């Protein structure tokens, strides 16, 4: 018999066997229905840095108001700018059976690995907001916040514009809390672009985001070496404090010494309208809607990008009066 005939016979035999085989009764497959989380199922433990100024107040208000609006149970913790308070609050939220999401605005970039691992083992979703941290992005759902390095780079470029006709370009820097990503990255970014026009940072010191400290540090800078043409204040409060010290030294802030700040709070707009502050780099504190949305997606098993950046602009003294009424913080 030819090979093709054998093959044909085998096919026919297989068809007959299949037709005669007893019909299997189909057992319905019951898929376990995965729970779909809504905002009403979310209890968020939010670890805030503290209440150091206008930006922080707006950030806190954003979380409290958005939680109420969305029906989220928010457990708010103010760490009073103490790292040890943040770490112990983190552990308390891990142990709290109601909390399924932990949101952190980190005071410092480092020191988070242990609690992040503990949170992961306990099945809690962690979202980092505002401040970037130095930990593996596998340990948290996402980071939502500004590009602080870009803010610093833009500040350097804007200072070049302000000092373009100045023979000397000596700039002093008022730094935020030194371990924070906002302070580190803004400082690095500024140094990257200031060289484009020959700026020199003659003095640099922390003033811890505070107007009072900003004033004191600026007064000390002026005493030590008054040959200063510009101030890069890493937030509005420190810049406003510096303006007061400049006035007390008999000089005109915004004219004799140019001032650039970061944030875009109402205080900075008033400072621009008064002529004391020249340029403000926006840092958006209204991060709660994006944060809660990301947390909900993560609770429902969605994989998120490691970083969701916020959108920011630059504000100039000449436009301040017109923009001010539309500002919300
Ligand atoms: O992390 C954002 C910074 O924190 C703001 O620029 C500063 O004002 C705040 O305290």
């Amino acid at each position: 018999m030819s090979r093709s005939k054998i093959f044909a016979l085998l096919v026919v035999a297989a068809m007959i066997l299949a037709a005669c085989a007893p019909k299997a009764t189909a057992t319905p497959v019951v898929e376990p229905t995965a729970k779909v989380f809504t905002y009403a199922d979310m209890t968020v433990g939010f670890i805030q840095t503290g209440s150091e100024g206008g930006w922080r107040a707006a950030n806190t208000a954003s979380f409290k108001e958005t939680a109420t609006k969305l029906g989220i149970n928010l457990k708010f913790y103010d760490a009073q700018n103490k790292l040890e308070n943040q770490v112990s609050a983190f552990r308390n939220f891990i142990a709290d059976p109601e909390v399924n999401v932990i949101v952190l605005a980190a005071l410092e970039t480092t020191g988070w690995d242990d609690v992040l691992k503990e949170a992961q083992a306990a099945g809690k979703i962690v979202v980092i907001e505002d401040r970037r941290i130095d930990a593996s992005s596998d340990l948290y759902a996402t980071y939502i916040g500004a590009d602080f390095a870009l803010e610093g780079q833009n500040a350097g470029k804007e200072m070049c514009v302000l000092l373009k006709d100045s023979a000397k370009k000596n700039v002093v820097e008022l730094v935020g809390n030194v371990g924070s990503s906002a302070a580190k990255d803004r400082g690095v970014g500024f140094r990257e672009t200031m060289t484009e026009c020959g700026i020199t940072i003659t003095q640099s010191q922390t003033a811890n985001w505070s107007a009072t400290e900003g004033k004191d540090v600026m007064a000390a800078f002026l005493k030590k070496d008054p040959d200063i043409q510009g101030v890069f204040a890493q937030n509005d409060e420190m810049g406003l404090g510096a303006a007061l010290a400049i006035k007390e030294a008999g000089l005109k802030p915004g004219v004799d010494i140019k001032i650039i700040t970061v944030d875009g709070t109402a205080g900075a707009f008033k400072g621009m309208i008064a002529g004391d502050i020249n340029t403000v780099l926006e840092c958006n504190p209204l991060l709660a809607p994006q944060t809660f949305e990301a947390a909900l997606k993560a609770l429902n098993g969605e994989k998120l990008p490691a970083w969701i950046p916020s959108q920011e602009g630059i504000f100039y003294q000449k436009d301040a009066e017109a923009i001010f009424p539309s500002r919300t913080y």
Side-chain angles (χ1 to χ4, degrees):
M1 203 180 308
S2 71
R3 287 173 80 173
S4 58
K5 276 189 183 155
I6 293 172
F7 180 70
L9 275 173
L10 283 172
V11 170
V12 171
M15 286 168 72
I16 291 166
L17 279 173
C20 296
K23 297 276 174 287
T25 42
T27 26
V29 180
V30 184
E31 294 283 349
T33 41
K35 176 175 168 57
V36 177
F37 287 89
T38 67
Y39 286 129
D41 303 312
M42 270 170 63
T43 293
V44 178
F46 176 38
I47 308 161
Q48 183 56 286
T49 56
S51 49
E52 66 268 14
W55 191 99
R56 194 59 54 190
N59 183 246
T60 293
S62 171
F63 276 85
K64 289 185 175 172
E65 285 160 16
T66 311
T68 306
K69 201 169 114 198
L70 298 176
I72 292 168
N73 181 21
L74 181 73
K75 297 194 177 188
F76 178 82
Y77 180 77
D78 177 342
Q80 301 186 345
N81 286 301
K82 292 200 178 89
L83 186 62
E84 63 272 24
N85 289 353
Q86 287 205 311
V87 174
S88 69
F90 209 124
R91 290 210 161 94
N92 289 342
F93 285 142
I94 291 172
D96 185 336
E98 271 192 340
V99 170
N100 48 11
V101 173
I102 298 171
V103 176
L104 171 70
L107 272 163
E108 310 258 324
T109 50
T110 55
W112 298 106
D113 290 70
D114 289 348
V115 284
L116 287 172
K117 283 177 192 158
E118 289 163 30
Q120 200 168 58
K124 312 274 172 168
I125 298 292
V126 176
V127 177
I128 309 298
E129 76 102 29
D130 166 29
R131 304 266 180 87
R132 180 185 63 69
I133 56 170
D134 293 335
S136 162
S137 59
D138 294 342
L139 294 173
Y140 53 89
T142 188
Y143 158 55
I144 293 170
D147 188 337
F148 297 130
L150 182 65
E151 291 169 354
Q153 287 162 3
N154 286 335
K157 287 182 186 167
E158 295 298 335
M159 189 60 88
C160 280
V161 173
L162 291 170
L163 298 182
K164 76 174 183 325
D165 297 325
S166 174
K168 289 189 276 180
K169 300 178 202 293
N170 295 331
V171 171
V172 295
E173 181 185 40
L174 293 165
V175 181
N177 75 292
V178 286
S180 69
S181 59
K184 289 181 186 180
D185 296 352
R186 285 174 188 162
V188 169
F190 190 84
R191 282 159 182 77
E192 278 166 9
T193 51
M194 69 177 201
T195 47
E196 286 170 14
C197 67
I199 287 172
T200 307
I201 294 183
T202 51
Q203 302 182 74
S204 172
Q205 197 181 308
T206 184
N208 287 309
W209 311 118
S210 139
T212 317
E213 286 188 53
K215 183 178 173 214
D216 293 347
V217 173
M218 187 66 204
F221 283 165
L222 284 162
K223 207 166 163 203
K224 191 170 172 208
D225 178 5
D227 188 10
I228 299 168
Q229 288 76 49
V231 176
F232 171 40
Q234 291 188 354
N235 83 342
D236 293 342
E237 274 81 9
M238 295 188 292
L240 290 162
L244 292 176
I246 292 167
K247 282 181 194 168
E248 280 183 13
L251 297 164
K252 264 182 163 276
V255 178
D256 298 322
I257 299 180
K258 312 289 186 198
I259 302 182
I260 290 185
T261 70
V262 187
D263 279 350
T265 56
F269 271 81
K270 287 182 191 154
M272 281 197 284
I273 293 165
D276 296 346
I277 291 181
N278 300 84
T279 307
V280 176
L281 284 303
E282 184 185 23
C283 181
N284 182 9
L286 310 178
L287 300 174
Q290 277 176 292
T291 304
F292 290 143
E293 190 188 344
L296 185 60
K297 284 181 178 169
L299 268 178
N300 283 313
E302 205 173 305
K303 174 99 181 104
L304 301 171
W307 177 22
I308 303 175
S310 42
Q311 299 301 310
E312 298 174 340
I314 302 176
F315 304 117
Y316 299 97
Q317 199 183 72
K318 65 178 174 51
D319 308 317
E321 203 151 1
I323 297 173
F324 188 41
S326 65
R327 299 291 297 158
T328 54
Y329 63 95

